[in-house]
Coordinates of all heavy atoms in Angstrom, one line a residue:
D1 N 101.0 -0.6 80.3 CA 99.7 -0.5 79.6 C 98.7 -1.6 80.0 O 97.8 -2.0 79.2 CB 99.9 -0.5 78.1 CG 100.6 0.8 77.6 OD1 100.4 1.9 78.2 OD2 101.4 0.7 76.7
I2 N 99.0 -2.2 81.1 CA 98.1 -3.3 81.6 C 97.4 -2.8 82.9 O 98.1 -2.4 83.8 CB 98.9 -4.6 81.9 CG1 99.6 -5.1 80.7 CG2 97.9 -5.7 82.5 CD1 100.6 -6.2 80.9
K3 N 96.1 -2.8 82.9 CA 95.3 -2.3 84.1 C 95.2 -3.4 85.1 O 94.9 -4.6 84.7 CB 94.0 -1.8 83.6 CG 94.1 -0.5 82.8 CD 92.7 0.0 82.4 CE 92.8 1.1 81.4 NZ 93.1 2.4 81.7
H4 N 95.4 -3.1 86.3 CA 95.2 -4.1 87.4 C 94.1 -3.6 88.4 O 93.9 -2.4 88.5 CB 96.5 -4.2 88.2 CG 97.7 -4.7 87.3 ND1 98.7 -3.9 87.0 CD2 97.8 -5.9 86.7 CE1 99.5 -4.6 86.2 NE2 99.0 -5.8 86.1
T5 N 93.5 -4.6 89.0 CA 92.4 -4.3 89.9 C 92.6 -5.0 91.2 O 93.6 -5.7 91.4 CB 91.0 -4.8 89.3 OG1 91.0 -6.3 89.4 CG2 90.8 -4.4 87.9
K6 N 91.7 -4.8 92.1 CA 91.8 -5.5 93.5 C 91.7 -7.0 93.4 O 92.0 -7.7 94.3 CB 90.6 -5.0 94.3 CG 89.3 -5.4 93.8 CD 88.1 -4.9 94.7 CE 86.8 -5.3 94.2 NZ 86.6 -6.7 93.7
D7 N 91.5 -7.5 92.2 CA 91.4 -9.0 92.0 C 92.8 -9.6 91.7 O 92.9 -10.8 91.4 CB 90.4 -9.3 90.9 CG 89.0 -8.9 91.2 OD1 88.6 -8.9 92.4 OD2 88.3 -8.6 90.2
I8 N 93.8 -8.8 91.8 CA 95.2 -9.2 91.4 C 95.6 -10.5 92.1 O 95.2 -10.7 93.3 CB 96.2 -8.1 91.6 CG1 97.4 -8.3 90.8 CG2 96.5 -7.9 93.1 CD1 98.3 -7.1 90.6
V9 N 96.3 -11.4 91.4 CA 96.8 -12.6 92.0 C 98.3 -12.7 91.5 O 98.6 -12.6 90.4 CB 96.0 -13.8 91.4 CG1 96.7 -15.1 91.9 CG2 94.6 -13.8 91.8
Y10 N 99.1 -13.0 92.5 CA 100.6 -13.1 92.3 C 100.9 -14.6 92.3 O 100.5 -15.3 93.2 CB 101.4 -12.4 93.3 CG 101.3 -10.9 93.3 CD1 100.5 -10.3 94.3 CD2 102.0 -10.1 92.4 CE1 100.4 -8.9 94.3 CE2 101.9 -8.8 92.4 CZ 101.1 -8.1 93.3 OH 101.0 -6.8 93.3
I11 N 101.6 -15.1 91.2 CA 102.0 -16.5 91.2 C 103.5 -16.5 91.0 O 104.1 -15.9 90.0 CB 101.3 -17.2 90.0 CG1 99.8 -17.1 90.2 CG2 101.8 -18.6 89.8 CD1 99.0 -17.5 89.0
Q12 N 104.2 -17.1 91.9 CA 105.7 -17.3 91.8 C 106.0 -18.8 91.7 O 105.5 -19.6 92.5 CB 106.3 -16.7 93.1 CG 107.8 -16.9 93.1 CD 108.4 -16.3 94.4 OE1 108.0 -15.2 94.9 NE2 109.3 -17.0 95.0
I13 N 106.7 -19.1 90.7 CA 107.0 -20.5 90.4 C 108.5 -20.6 90.5 O 109.3 -19.9 89.7 CB 106.5 -20.9 89.0 CG1 105.0 -20.7 88.9 CG2 106.9 -22.4 88.7 CD1 104.5 -20.8 87.5
T14 N 109.0 -21.5 91.3 CA 110.4 -21.9 91.3 C 110.6 -23.2 90.7 O 109.9 -24.2 91.1 CB 111.0 -21.9 92.8 OG1 110.7 -20.6 93.4 CG2 112.5 -22.2 92.8
A15 N 111.4 -23.3 89.7 CA 111.6 -24.6 89.0 C 113.1 -24.7 88.5 O 113.8 -23.7 88.4 CB 110.7 -24.6 87.7
A16 N 113.5 -25.9 88.2 CA 114.8 -26.2 87.7 C 115.0 -25.5 86.4 O 114.0 -25.5 85.6 CB 115.1 -27.7 87.7
I17 N 116.1 -25.0 86.1 CA 116.5 -24.3 84.9 C 116.4 -25.3 83.7 O 116.6 -26.5 83.9 CB 117.8 -23.7 85.0 CG1 118.0 -22.7 83.9 CG2 118.9 -24.7 85.0 CD1 119.2 -21.7 84.1
G18 N 116.1 -24.8 82.5 CA 116.1 -25.7 81.4 C 115.1 -25.5 80.3 O 115.1 -26.2 79.3
R19 N 114.1 -24.6 80.6 CA 113.1 -24.4 79.5 C 113.4 -23.2 78.7 O 113.9 -22.2 79.2 CB 111.7 -24.3 80.2 CG 111.0 -25.6 80.6 CD 111.2 -25.8 82.0 NE 110.6 -27.1 82.4 CZ 110.7 -27.5 83.7 NH1 111.4 -26.8 84.5 NH2 110.2 -28.6 84.1
D20 N 113.1 -23.3 77.4 CA 113.4 -22.1 76.6 C 112.3 -21.1 76.7 O 111.2 -21.3 77.3 CB 113.6 -22.6 75.1 CG 112.3 -23.2 74.5 OD1 111.2 -22.8 74.8 OD2 112.5 -24.1 73.6
V21 N 112.5 -19.9 76.1 CA 111.6 -18.8 76.2 C 110.2 -19.1 75.7 O 109.2 -18.7 76.2 CB 112.3 -17.6 75.4 CG1 111.3 -16.4 75.3 CG2 113.5 -17.1 76.1
N22 N 110.2 -19.9 74.6 CA 108.9 -20.2 74.0 C 108.0 -21.0 75.0 O 106.8 -20.8 75.1 CB 109.1 -21.0 72.7 CG 107.8 -21.1 71.9 OD1 107.0 -20.1 71.8 ND2 107.5 -22.2 71.4
K23 N 108.7 -22.0 75.7 CA 108.0 -22.8 76.7 C 107.4 -21.9 77.8 O 106.3 -22.1 78.3 CB 108.9 -23.9 77.3 CG 109.0 -25.1 76.5 CD 108.0 -26.1 76.9 CE 108.1 -27.4 76.2 NZ 106.9 -28.1 76.0
K24 N 108.3 -21.0 78.2 CA 107.9 -20.1 79.3 C 106.7 -19.2 78.9 O 105.7 -19.0 79.6 CB 109.0 -19.2 79.8 CG 110.2 -20.0 80.4 CD 111.4 -19.2 80.6 CE 112.6 -20.0 81.1 NZ 113.7 -19.2 81.3
R25 N 106.8 -18.7 77.7 CA 105.7 -17.8 77.1 C 104.4 -18.6 77.1 O 103.3 -18.1 77.5 CB 106.1 -17.3 75.7 CG 105.1 -16.4 75.1 CD 105.6 -15.9 73.8 NE 106.7 -14.9 74.0 CZ 107.9 -15.1 73.5 NH1 108.2 -16.1 72.8 NH2 108.8 -14.2 73.7
K26 N 104.4 -19.9 76.6 CA 103.3 -20.7 76.6 C 102.7 -21.0 78.0 O 101.5 -21.0 78.2 CB 103.6 -22.0 75.8 CG 103.7 -21.9 74.4 CD 104.0 -23.2 73.7 CE 104.2 -23.1 72.2 NZ 104.5 -24.4 71.6
L27 N 103.6 -21.2 78.9 CA 103.2 -21.5 80.3 C 102.4 -20.3 80.8 O 101.3 -20.4 81.4 CB 104.4 -21.8 81.2 CG 104.0 -21.9 82.7 CD1 103.2 -23.2 82.9 CD2 105.3 -21.9 83.5
Y28 N 103.0 -19.1 80.7 CA 102.3 -17.9 81.2 C 100.9 -17.7 80.6 O 100.0 -17.4 81.3 CB 103.1 -16.6 80.9 CG 104.6 -16.7 81.5 CD1 105.6 -15.9 80.8 CD2 104.9 -17.4 82.6 CE1 106.9 -15.9 81.3 CE2 106.2 -17.5 83.0 CZ 107.2 -16.7 82.4 OH 108.5 -16.7 82.8
R29 N 100.8 -17.9 79.3 CA 99.6 -17.7 78.6 C 98.6 -18.8 79.1 O 97.4 -18.5 79.4 CB 99.7 -17.8 77.1 CG 98.5 -17.6 76.3 CD 98.6 -17.4 74.9 NE 99.6 -16.5 74.5 CZ 99.5 -15.1 74.5 NH1 98.4 -14.6 75.0 NH2 100.4 -14.3 74.1
Q30 N 99.0 -20.0 79.2 CA 98.1 -21.1 79.7 C 97.6 -20.9 81.1 O 96.5 -21.1 81.4 CB 98.8 -22.5 79.5 CG 97.8 -23.6 79.5 CD 96.8 -23.5 78.4 OE1 97.1 -23.4 77.3 NE2 95.5 -23.5 78.8

C-alpha cells in the first residue's frame, strides 16, 4: 500500500549488531 515513483532511492546500511527494534524504527523514520 505504498506508492513508489521514479524518484525512488535505495539505502542499504551495514552495521554491527546490537540495536533494538525501537532504535531501528526511529532510524528509518528519521
Side-chain angles (χ1 to χ4, degrees):
D1 295 324
I2 302 169
K3 293 183 192 273
H4 298 111
T5 73
K6 63 178 179 46
D7 296 330
I8 201 162
V9 174
Y10 294 101
I11 299 168
Q12 179 180 317
I13 302 167
T14 305
I17 196 165
R19 280 99 179 177
D20 64 33
V21 171
N22 193 42
K23 277 271 186 208
K24 294 173 190 179
R25 184 176 288 118
K26 287 179 179 180
L27 175 70
Y28 305 152
R29 183 167 311 285
Q30 195 60 53

